[in-house]
Amino acid sequence: MRIPTTSRFTSTSLAHAPEPVFSPELAGDTEAPLLAPPVNTTAVGLKKTNPAFHLIIPASESNPELCKTLLSSFILSYPAPTLINYGKVFEGVGWDKGSHAGKIRGLYDFLNNKKEVKDDDLVLIIDGYDVWFQLPPEVVIKRYHAMVLETNERLRRRYGVVTEGHPGDGTADRVQKYRQSVIFGADKICWPNPVEDPACAAVPYSILPKDVYGPLTDRDPDAFHNRPRYLNSGTVIGPVADVRAIYKYAVQKVEQKGRGKIGDQFVFAEIFGEQEFQRETIRRTSQSTGGRFYDWLSNTLGTSESPLSANVTINNMTTVAGQRYEYSIGLDYESRLFQTMTHSAEDLEFIVYNSSAFLSSIQAAHPSLHGLPFFLPTDIQQLKPPFSFASPGDQATNLQESKNSLLLPYSSNLDNLPGQSGEADDLDSEEGQAPTWRTTPLATNIYAASIPPLLHINGDKSLLEAWWPKLWHHPYSRALLRAFIRSTQGKTAAAAAARGGQTWWDSRGGRGGVWTDRGEWLAWGEVCQGCEEDVFNDGKGVWGKEEGDTKVVNSFGKVIIGEDEG
């Protein structure tokens, strides 16, 4: 019997190149910055038909770590995040007062909101207090599509195809048995699940080389030299319908079986373990004689790819008739999207790719490396320069418009960015040139030979302070955020929306703020004022008051910078 799946991302449906991601261009001077809730710019009578891209962050309160996450997403032009459970106080029982169960329920409820999210939309969900962005959304989306294609081909080779439909009436179709459409981050350790449970013992091995860390690979009792193979719930991307199905099952586990008391990490790892245990059990019991002989031989030689063949004890899962166990889940073993940091900090180096001497020194320090990305990947080489995401368009034009702006008026003390002036003397000096991706430090997994777009700083929390200043946007974070808030999505974006929106983008829009799951729009200053020193670390003071009291009112008459009178 075929295990059902809801995935629509088949190996054939993704065979075409992914649609280009829209990068907003700075338009004419007639458009106001979107600090207020944005107006739908889709032409009357036209409906946006292609999928949108949503960034969702569970966060019940603001703190400097949330604001670091928001800043890094803003200046790379990710869609305005939606905060789940923001402002909600949890007063339940248990060590977390029910916040983890509430997190799962809150995310599921939002994914069920058909007004805001559609089944075919792409959704990225991240933890709110320890995830940073270092590459723009087009890299995430293109890599996601490529990974789905590659993984589905591996699944087809391993598990084969099945017949759907009825041969007699001409509706039969041969499709691969299992597919992947949802990608979670991968971790080196399995926690907090028991080591004998399927969440730890039945999950696939990593696709990284078996000796990627040298002779201790997968044999390190402290896990630092183990390949990542366990699900981490802090980062996940996939189609809304498929992610919603996973969260529906998670809600069932939490609210009917009490699994949420251990945490959301336990719940999602358990779901993945159940899926993989079922896949391998069905494969092994339905094999031909030749397949069983091959399994026996590979087990004898120690080359088996099946975790169920390992000499470990696995708690047998109890299956329930009618319960679905297939959820099209896979992991990002190579950190092409997400870098999970538990036991992995030593895998990363902040590399400036125009320094051949530095690259050579890293190679010499790690002789076990299979290969180091001495050149930037093509998908990064093709990007616009780093600073252009915060303020699209010509730099000199942006500078002039910012000087004429009444919103966050231009200040040479706050807004000066290298390469912005357009002056010949400035451009001729190395210090005056705008950074490129080759001249900015990029966190690189030197063992996976990957530059991950997202860094998940779990594990050693001291890295939240130690590594934040290493990101490419420092020491210009405040200037980039100010430029981002002044910029707009422009006329080009409106035209794209009128054509049906040839872009993966949250259709609600918005720049310089967040949405809540209650539909409220909150500007940066409303969420993050008071966190400036931790976020910017530039000693320039409170946001909006760096050079004295300033009051900025949005189009609804609400004070968004400064203090209201009376």
Side-chain angles (χ1 to χ4, degrees), residues 81-351:
T82 298
L83 301 186
I84 303 298
N85 293 333
Y86 190 71
K88 186 173 183 178
V89 178
F90 292 95
E91 298 178 339
V93 297
W95 63 277
D96 67 338
K97 297 184 179 181
S99 62
H100 282 77
K103 173 182 175 181
I104 294 174
R105 166 54 78 174
L107 284 163
Y108 174 64
D109 287 346
F110 183 78
L111 294 172
N112 253 335
N113 185 344
K114 302 299 178 65
K115 179 182 177 182
E116 303 295 352
V117 294
K118 310 303 180 186
D119 284 358
D120 290 324
D121 288 354
L122 190 65
V123 60
L124 171 62
I125 303 174
I126 64 171
D127 279 352
Y129 302 109
D130 57 4
V131 177
W132 304 334
F133 296 85
Q134 74 163 349
L135 294 176
E138 47 259 60
V139 175
V140 172
I141 294 169
K142 289 179 181 178
R143 289 186 184 180
Y144 164 79
H145 282 300
M147 291 169 65
V148 168
L149 276 173
E150 295 165 12
T151 304
N152 281 340
E153 177 57 25
R154 287 197 299 270
L155 292 174
R156 185 194 63 78
R157 291 197 304 266
R158 180 161 184 79
Y159 295 106
V161 297
V162 294
T163 300
E164 282 189 345
H166 303 283
D169 59 13
T171 63
D173 190 19
R174 298 286 284 173
V175 298
Q176 67 180 75
K177 192 169 187 177
Y178 303 124
R179 304 183 184 96
Q180 174 180 297
S181 64
V182 179
I183 303 176
F184 282 84
D187 214 328
K188 289 185 177 182
I189 60 174
C190 187
W191 63 278
N193 309 69
V195 294
E196 299 86 4
D197 277 9
C200 300
V203 296
Y205 298 115
S206 172
I207 63 174
L208 289 174
K210 294 181 179 180
D211 60 347
V212 65
Y213 294 106
L216 283 180
T217 302
D218 292 346
R219 299 176 182 177
D220 183 355
D222 296 321
F224 290 96
H225 294 98
N226 293 349
R227 294 177 296 167
R229 60 178 287 215
Y230 307 107
L231 181 145
N232 184 283
S233 64
T235 49
V236 58
I237 186 172
V240 166
D242 294 350
V243 176
R244 183 198 304 126
I246 298 169
Y247 272 85
K248 181 179 180 180
Y249 188 28
V251 167
Q252 177 185 332
K253 283 180 171 290
V254 167
E255 298 183 356
Q256 297 178 17
K257 301 179 181 179
R259 309 300 266 178
K261 297 177 182 178
I262 311 176
D264 60 313
Q265 168 65 34
F266 178 95
V267 173
F268 290 106
E270 185 172 72
I271 293 173
F272 181 52
E274 291 174 353
Q275 170 188 283
E276 296 305 316
F277 187 90
Q278 285 292 97
R279 283 183 177 182
E280 275 301 293
T281 299
I282 292 173
R283 184 192 68 83
R284 286 156 61 94
T285 57
S286 60
Q287 288 185 111
S288 64
T289 301
R292 288 195 296 272
F293 174 76
Y294 177 80
D295 263 11
W296 172 84
L297 182 62
S298 61
N299 292 344
T300 303
L301 297 175
T303 60
S304 174
E305 296 180 4
S306 173
L308 301 190
S309 301
N311 187 24
V312 296
T313 301
I314 301 180
N315 293 334
N316 195 24
M317 63 178 285
T318 301
T319 58
V320 178
Q323 174 62 56
R324 172 182 171 181
Y325 295 104
E326 175 58 41
Y327 287 96
S328 302
I329 299 173
L331 305 187
D332 179 15
Y333 300 106
E334 299 173 296
S335 301
R336 290 164 68 178
L337 298 175
F338 314 126
Q339 175 62 59
T340 302
M341 210 63 68
T342 304
H343 290 75
S344 296
E346 294 182 1
D347 295 356
L348 269 72
E349 295 278 0
F350 283 83
I351 296 178

Side-chain angles (χ1 to χ4, degrees), residues 537-557:
N537 193 27
D538 58 6
K540 294 183 179 179
V542 176
W543 176 258
K545 295 184 177 181
E546 297 94 340
E547 296 180 333
D549 287 338
T550 301
K551 184 171 74 172
V552 177
V553 181
N554 67 17
S555 57
F556 292 84

Side-chain angles (χ1 to χ4, degrees), residues 313-483:
T313 301
I314 301 180
N315 293 334
N316 195 24
M317 63 178 285
T318 301
T319 58
V320 178
Q323 174 62 56
R324 172 182 171 181
Y325 295 104
E326 175 58 41
Y327 287 96
S328 302
I329 299 173
L331 305 187
D332 179 15
Y333 300 106
E334 299 173 296
S335 301
R336 290 164 68 178
L337 298 175
F338 314 126
Q339 175 62 59
T340 302
M341 210 63 68
T342 304
H343 290 75
S344 296
E346 294 182 1
D347 295 356
L348 269 72
E349 295 278 0
F350 283 83
I351 296 178
V352 178
Y353 277 82
N354 69 342
S355 173
S356 57
F358 183 61
L359 291 168
S360 298
S361 68
I362 293 175
Q363 181 77 66
H366 302 276
S368 66
L369 293 177
H370 284 257
L372 191 68
F374 287 100
F375 301 97
L376 282 178
T378 302
D379 59 359
I380 299 179
Q381 292 184 40
Q382 294 174 344
L383 292 173
K384 300 180 302 180
F387 284 6
S388 65
F389 288 90
S391 186
D394 176 75
Q395 292 295 318
T397 302
N398 291 349
L399 177 62
Q400 186 58 47
E401 291 195 355
S402 65
K403 289 181 177 180
N404 296 334
S405 174
L406 297 178
L407 177 66
L408 297 177
Y410 178 83
S411 164
S412 58
N413 177 46
L414 303 174
D415 293 309
N416 188 37
L417 291 170
Q420 186 183 57
S421 70
E423 299 292 337
D425 292 342
D426 198 12
L427 295 175
D428 288 341
S429 68
E430 184 173 337
E431 292 184 356
Q433 294 181 8
T436 68
W437 292 108
R438 283 177 50 81
T439 62
T440 55
L442 294 173
T444 303
N445 186 317
I446 58 177
Y447 291 95
S450 174
I451 303 175
L454 280 76
L455 306 177
H456 183 193
I457 315 296
N458 61 342
D460 182 1
K461 293 301 183 181
S462 69
L463 298 178
L464 288 169
E465 182 176 352
W467 279 16
W468 177 244
K470 294 185 177 184
L471 295 188
W472 62 264
H473 46 79
H474 292 295
Y476 304 106
S477 301
R478 189 186 297 258
L480 288 168
L481 180 60
R482 286 169 60 88

